[in-house]
Amino acid sequence: VLPELDSSNSALLERARTGWVLPALLVAERQTAGRGRMGRQGLTQPAGGSLTFSLGFPLGQVDVSGLSVVVGYSLAQALDAQHRHELRVKWPNDLWFRQRKFGGILVEICTQGAQRYAVVGVGINVAQPPVLPPATAQQPQPQAPAWVQEFDAQATAPWVLQQVAAPLARAMQQFMNRGFATWQERFAVRDALAGQAVWLSDGSTGTAAGVNPQGAFLIEESQGRLREIRSEEISVRPLDMMQAQ
């Protein structure tokens, strides 16, 4: 645990590039240059307002498809095992509470010869976060965020870490041994988009139909045709949210 880092993901990736590929959990009480998916910059919050950490581990030869979905499911399950808060996972890497994002996941892979090292970055809003900046060109307007203290008023960053770290490490071990297929049914219970009309950032629309055994997002298009979305560079949102903007 360090008081401040630019990015916990960057720190573990830099270590891996020098040959240091042991399993590691790195927590930053404050991140000054956290990153999100598609190059988005993370917001800096006061110490304790959020939990930011990275878990690094050697991958072996497992197919990494669906890894971010497994991470999301593990985190939601650890924080809401009894489904009292109905925490959900929006494919491929967002944690949702009441249709609003309270956490995000960034998976990055470092390859050194035959060795692959995965770094899973997690950011969770513990307290109410600052107002999000407006969207840049070609991006939809950001949704109002959620935070853990909305559904657990006594939550702190150390408490959240205590809840999620060990279950996440176990989930990663299971993923490395068995891949994604065994997680398909479990994810369906937490799927934030299941059965909803959705909008994709490539301009297409359809109905969300879960994920396949490899973790790809399935969308039912016109005439019942199923389309697989594998690229995490495509953003998916409920269509009614887009129409409301």
Side-chain angles (χ1 to χ4, degrees):
V1 179
L2 296 177
E4 184 172 294
L5 274 176
D6 55 354
S7 162
S8 55
N9 259 37
S10 294
L12 288 186
L13 288 169
E14 289 169 7
R15 289 184 188 182
R17 293 185 185 107
T18 67
W20 198 93
V21 290
L22 296 173
L25 176 67
L26 180 59
V27 182
E29 292 184 337
R30 184 173 183 270
Q31 278 197 140
T32 58
R35 303 192 307 281
R37 194 165 61 97
M38 295 189 283
R40 295 190 178 100
Q41 188 77 12
L43 292 179
T44 299
Q45 287 188 238
S50 64
L51 172 65
T52 54
F53 69 89
S54 296
L55 178 65
F57 53 94
L59 262 178
Q61 300 306 309
V62 68
D63 180 0
V64 298
S65 300
L67 177 55
S68 64
V69 174
V70 173
V71 175
Y73 173 86
S74 173
L75 296 170
Q77 184 70 12
L79 291 172
D80 186 28
Q82 303 302 318
H83 294 263
R84 289 180 298 176
H85 310 304
E86 298 185 354
L87 301 188
R88 296 290 182 260
V89 182
K90 184 179 79 67
W91 187 93
N93 64 345
D94 287 346
L95 295 167
W96 272 19
F97 171 62
R98 295 179 179 173
Q99 295 288 89
R100 293 176 294 128
K101 178 180 175 179
F102 72 92
I105 299 151
L106 177 64
V107 175
E108 298 182 283
I109 310 296
C110 176
T111 302
Q112 293 289 97
Q115 175 70 66
R116 294 186 305 161
Y117 191 74
V119 177
V120 173
V122 174
I124 296 175
N125 297 328
V126 177
Q128 183 172 2
V131 176
L132 293 170
T136 59
Q138 309 304 317
Q139 290 185 346
Q141 290 300 315
Q143 303 164 256
W147 55 94
V148 175
Q149 289 177 355
E150 281 190 275
F151 55 85
D152 192 328
Q154 305 304 313
T156 63
W159 179 86
V160 174
L161 179 66
Q162 185 179 35
Q163 302 307 303
V164 304
L168 179 58
R170 288 193 293 268
M172 295 303 93
Q173 288 181 318
Q174 293 173 18
F175 178 83
M176 287 187 288
N177 291 333
R178 305 174 190 172
F180 179 78
T182 59
W183 296 87
Q184 185 181 13
E185 291 186 7
R186 280 179 276 183
F187 170 72
V189 178
R190 297 279 183 185
D191 187 352
L193 300 175
Q196 295 188 47
V198 293
W199 169 92
L200 279 69
S201 57
D202 64 2
S204 60
T205 59
T207 302
V211 296
N212 70 8
Q214 292 74 45
F217 181 68
L218 298 176
I219 180 171
E220 184 176 344
E221 298 183 318
S222 58
Q223 300 178 341
R225 185 175 73 91
L226 280 179
R227 174 188 172 195
E228 292 184 1
I229 307 296
R230 295 183 177 272
S231 173
E232 294 187 0
E233 297 304 302
I234 295 180
S235 178
V236 184
R237 285 196 176 187
L239 185 60
D240 58 359
M241 287 187 178
M242 300 304 300
Q243 293 172 338
Q245 292 183 4

